[in-house]
Amino acid sequence: MTDKRAVLEQVLADLTAEGDQLEAAVVGLDEAAWRTPVPAEGWDIATTIVHLAWTDESALAAGTDKAAWDALVLAALEDPQNFVDVQAFEGARAPAPEILARWQRLRPAVVAMLRAYPEGQKLPWYGPPMSPTSMATARFMETWAHALDVYDALISAGAMTARPEPTDRVRHIAHLGVRTRDFAFGVHGLEPPTDEFRVELVSPSGETWTWGPEDAAQRVSGSAYDFCLRVTQRAHREDTDLVAVGADADRWLDIAQAFAGPAGAGRKATVHGG
């Protein structure tokens, strides 16, 4: 097995585990519970799971069905600002068992497609084409981030007591967060810094993960879990333990964004009552 193949297999295994964890949280919910609002404005658990299923469908089309993929792209071009939300809201009109079954069918299908995709080739996507590993990483990030929304909704409703314990699976998101530094600056209309940053993060298991030169002047440090919350905009910067050294690194933590699309509004701070 090549190194690239081994990396892909690890991401696919972690994607499956993350999806299994979320599925276990929603599989026993009744119809009313599926309509519990999540922190994303206007969304509920149903629209969240539909969104994951729809994105899986898009990935499957990109990797296996050119005609279906082309139709998706044309539909997105007709309404680029609202296309994603429209798909979520329309799909959420279905009864909860249908939504769940749709997602359950698509999750393993995407994993199988990415595993079988020719090594060295890239899948078309709404942004730049993506390798199977990059697509799997993006699916992991979305699954993890939207799962947090669902867990928070269930906690607010009294159906869960706490989020699942963090795991080192978040390394995929941390790596993506570091790699998308320049994208985050660009999507905010800012010129990306020319110097590399040093990023030092402590994993949930206590390991130290690092990126960038040891002697870099611009630095970010803290827990990997908080960094992943930040780059997926699931936590305000003030609610994390992240520390920046240098003006550019400090600015990055304000605007960090590992997901595609326009700059997100993020979450309000809670530590100071904001």
Side-chain angles (χ1 to χ4, degrees), residues 11-270:
V11 181
L12 291 176
D14 290 345
L15 170 61
T16 298
E18 205 66 37
D20 287 347
Q21 185 171 264
L22 174 57
E23 184 176 322
V26 301
V27 70
L29 299 179
D30 61 22
E31 187 71 35
W34 275 76
R35 309 302 161 174
T36 304
V38 300
E41 186 177 355
W43 284 42
D44 57 19
I45 292 175
T47 50
T48 301
I49 300 300
V50 167
H51 173 68
L52 291 175
W54 172 79
T55 313
D56 282 344
E57 282 177 337
S58 295
L60 203 58
T64 64
D65 190 334
K66 185 178 185 304
W69 171 247
D70 288 345
L72 283 170
V73 172
L74 289 174
L77 289 174
E78 290 179 0
D79 189 9
Q81 295 299 319
N82 301 305
F83 179 61
V84 172
D85 282 359
V86 167
Q87 298 302 315
F89 292 133
E90 287 186 353
R93 294 173 182 170
E98 291 183 19
I99 295 172
L100 179 61
R102 177 185 177 189
W103 185 50
Q104 289 173 320
R105 172 179 56 84
L106 288 161
R107 286 181 52 219
V110 168
V111 168
M113 180 273 290
L114 292 174
R115 178 173 286 123
Y117 206 75
E119 190 169 344
Q121 294 188 25
K122 293 188 175 183
L123 294 85
W125 198 236
Y126 298 104
M130 304 176 75
S131 70
T133 300
S134 293
M135 178 66 78
T137 302
R139 299 307 308 124
F140 177 88
M141 176 186 67
E142 270 221 308
T143 301
W144 183 83
H146 286 294
L148 292 180
D149 295 344
V150 172
Y151 302 146
D152 288 349
L154 293 174
I155 291 167
S156 295
M160 283 182 72
T161 57
R163 293 174 178 174
E165 285 295 313
T167 73
D168 281 2
R169 294 195 295 264
V170 298
R171 181 164 190 160
H172 307 305
I173 302 172
H175 181 68
L176 187 60
V178 172
R179 289 190 60 189
T180 53
R181 184 202 71 172
D182 289 358
F183 165 77
F185 278 89
V187 80
H188 283 83
L190 302 171
E191 190 70 25
T194 56
D195 294 340
E196 290 189 69
F197 290 2
R198 176 70 169 183
V199 180
E200 298 181 350
L201 304 174
V202 179
S203 77
S205 67
E207 296 180 22
T208 298
W209 298 337
T210 63
W211 294 262
E214 291 185 20
D215 60 350
Q218 305 287 327
R219 311 176 71 87
V220 167
S221 61
S223 74
Y225 183 73
D226 279 9
F227 181 76
C228 293
L229 290 174
R230 185 72 204 108
V231 300
T232 57
Q233 296 191 357
R234 260 53 188 184
H236 191 279
R237 179 180 174 179
E238 292 180 11
D239 290 326
T240 72
D241 64 7
L242 301 173
V243 176
V245 175
D248 289 339
D250 187 69
R251 181 60 174 149
W252 181 38
L253 287 185
D254 285 337
I255 62 172
Q257 176 177 327
F259 52 88
R267 301 285 165 81
K268 294 180 178 180
T270 61

